[in-house]
Amino acid sequence: MATDTADFAAPGARRIRGKNLALLTASNAMDNAEASVTTVLFPLMRDALGLSSAALGTIVAVGKVVGAGAGIPWAFLARRYPRKIALAVCSGFWGLWAIAAGFSDSFLQFVILYAIAAAGFAGSGPIALGIVGDIYDDNHRGRATGLFYAGVALTTGIAAPLFGRLSEFENGWRYGYFIAGGMCVLVGVLIVSFLEDPIRAGDTAASAVRTVEEKARTVRSGLRELFAVQTFRYILMQRLLSGQNVIMSFGVVFLVEERGFTTATASIVALPFALGYIAGTLTGGRVIDRVHRARPRSGRIAMLQISQIAFAAVAFIGTQLAWSSIGAYVAIFAAIGFLQGQVPVINRPLIMAVSPPDLRPLAFAVSVSMADALAYGAYALLTGVLGDAIGLQGALLIVTVLLTAINGVASALLYRPYARDSAAIAARLPIHTHAVLAKGIP
């Protein structure tokens, strides 16, 4: 059912927000669960299909590039049709394509089916984050985003070791895709049944029957409006220089190939990474909200720089120094996860603060589904190619250590435009919006 935004200020608002946030988190977690199958069980797929390490980079790159092109169309559909239906399809029922990928007989067939699955999952983030931005005000979005990504990380952290146990079976990688796809379908059913989508202030029944041409004009003007915001352009550039995400795509393979651990043993690091990520999102979300309230013009940017430079330092320790015990890597990957968890609780509220409320799903489609996905795909492909040429240790040094350190320094360019653009958006919001989105965080 659709719920008027005013209902979120009612006594039951906390319960509604809590339920919605749980469902939105589950929708985004499905994409990550499917990705866990790929990264954890790739050694099995490599042996079964006769692949090289570069194939993992190809798989990740194809999925991200396809997702980059698919995010915006899903955002368009979410503007024309009920958002809960669009979300249920792209993050839930689309899991049937993941199940189909598990039946692949060749690498080409797998890549095609994997790409189709990725095209659907790309819509979950923009739509879900758009709804999150609608039901939490600017002073609480760090915590809300932290809860959102903590739930995603918890799901991934639990799923990865369980998927790792499938390595004991000859066709374990196939079973992984069957399970992940089935979980997606279940989440789609839950979204359709229980998600209450807030209707933004100003939305009317008439807006639902505008013509396709009017919608297209709205989208074109929306893109122009977004790209006119200097902070938004800088954030896109900053995300295009981010190679942090490949650390977990190649982490297990790195430990197998470069450090000699078995797949089952190496996959253990996924759980401490996830737990560290959860701690990073929950702790970071609270801290960043406090820093933002104390320094609304610069706090988030300062935290962004600190987290990136610290991430580069810990990634250097984890990838460039050899440790004989898996226990050492458990601790290192937990620290890497903690610092990685700072990224969404800073980046997503940054985008929410400088984007008009009705354009937030489109902003996330461009920034998360497109820019992040293109960067992730490109750097995954680069890491795979460099891994074959100079080894994964050297590849990760370039992509996750050096590039992240450079990114942290360059993020200083955001200070001045963010202060200006966030103030401009805050001034445009009607007074009743601040009352509607008010306090009560679940």
Side-chain angles (χ1 to χ4, degrees):
M1 63 182 276
T3 302
D4 189 272
T5 311
D7 292 343
F8 285 80
R14 287 169 62 91
R15 178 189 61 80
I16 296 173
R17 279 195 291 264
K19 179 185 67 174
N20 277 357
L21 190 60
L23 289 168
L24 296 171
T25 299
S27 73
N28 208 53
M30 290 306 97
D31 183 21
N32 287 266
E34 183 258 354
S36 291
V37 178
T38 304
T39 56
V40 171
L41 295 177
F42 176 75
L44 288 182
M45 186 189 303
R46 178 189 57 195
D47 294 340
L49 301 179
L51 308 175
S52 68
S53 295
L56 177 57
T58 301
I59 293 170
V60 174
V62 167
K64 294 301 178 181
V65 170
V66 169
I72 292 179
W74 282 112
F76 292 173
L77 289 173
R79 288 170 64 86
R80 181 166 177 77
Y81 301 101
R83 288 188 294 187
K84 65 182 289 183
I85 301 301
L87 185 63
V89 172
C90 68
S91 66
F93 305 129
W94 212 266
L96 293 172
W97 290 105
I99 295 175
F103 288 103
S104 301
D105 294 324
S106 67
F107 182 63
L108 177 60
Q109 185 180 28
F110 172 81
V111 168
I112 293 172
L113 292 170
Y114 186 87
I116 295 174
F121 296 143
S124 62
I127 299 172
L129 288 168
I131 298 175
V132 171
D134 284 347
I135 60 178
Y136 292 92
D137 70 3
D138 194 40
N139 287 332
H140 298 94
R141 286 176 184 150
R143 184 181 177 187
T145 308
L147 291 168
F148 178 85
Y149 281 99
V152 173
L154 179 61
T155 302
T156 305
I158 293 174
L162 294 178
F163 286 139
R165 304 310 303 175
L166 295 175
S167 64
E168 299 174 1
F169 301 92
E170 181 180 357
N171 290 310
W173 68 273
R174 298 183 187 276
Y175 303 146
Y177 284 104
F178 298 158
I179 294 171
M183 291 168 58
C184 289
V185 174
L186 175 60
V187 168
V189 173
L190 293 175
I191 290 172
V192 170
S193 302
F194 300 109
L195 181 67
E196 299 181 54
D197 182 9
I199 299 176
R200 290 182 297 273
D203 285 354
T204 64
S207 67
V209 296
R210 285 182 291 177
T211 66
V212 175
E213 292 78 8
E214 289 173 330
K215 284 285 187 177
R217 284 197 294 271
T218 300
V219 168
R220 287 195 297 270
S221 64
L223 287 172
R224 285 195 297 269
E225 186 173 352
L226 284 174
F227 280 98
V229 179
Q230 187 178 18
T231 302
F232 185 73
R233 297 198 307 270
Y234 279 14
I235 289 173
L236 293 185
M237 294 170 59
Q238 186 263 332
R239 296 310 298 161
L240 288 171
L241 288 174
S242 178
Q244 291 176 244
N245 289 330
V246 301
I247 189 68
M248 278 312 296
S249 292
F250 286 87
V252 172
V253 179
F254 167 77
L255 293 177
V256 171
E257 294 189 354
E258 299 284 343
R259 300 296 182 252
F261 295 104
T262 65
T263 298
T265 300
S267 66
I268 292 173
V269 302
L271 181 57
F273 176 89
L275 293 176
Y277 189 97
I278 292 168
T281 56
L282 295 179
T283 304
R286 289 174 177 270
V287 170
I288 289 164
D289 278 346
R290 291 178 181 177
V291 172
H292 171 67
R293 287 193 288 269
R295 297 183 177 273
R297 294 171 60 88
S298 62
R300 285 171 175 159
I301 310 301
M303 294 296 292
L304 178 64
Q305 288 192 284
I306 292 170
S307 69
Q308 288 178 315
I309 294 172
F311 179 94
V314 177
F316 178 85
I317 295 172
T319 61
Q320 305 307 304
L321 303 180
W323 305 90
S324 59
S325 169
I326 191 64
Y329 288 103
V330 164
I332 291 169
F333 274 80
I336 290 175
F338 181 85
L339 294 168
Q340 182 75 351
Q342 308 298 304
V343 175
V345 297
I346 301 172
N347 172 268
R348 278 39 168 188
L350 278 174
I351 295 173
M352 292 175 187
V354 300
S355 303
D358 61 319
L359 295 180
R360 283 179 190 139
L362 185 58
F364 284 116
V366 174
S367 62
V368 177
S369 292
M370 180 174 287
D372 279 13
L374 286 175
Y376 195 164
Y379 291 128
L381 185 61
L382 177 62
T383 303
V385 173
L386 289 176
D388 280 350
I390 63 175
L392 282 177
Q393 179 169 316
L396 292 174
L397 172 64
I398 295 171
V399 177
T400 64
V401 178
L402 296 179
L403 192 60
T404 302
I406 294 171
N407 202 352
V409 174
S411 294
L413 294 173
L414 285 165
Y415 280 107
R416 182 173 295 180
Y418 174 73
R420 180 187 65 246
D421 295 335
S422 60
I425 292 297
R428 289 171 54 183
L429 293 178
I431 294 175
H432 74 272
T433 301
H434 298 287
V436 165
L437 296 178
K439 300 180 177 179
I441 302 291

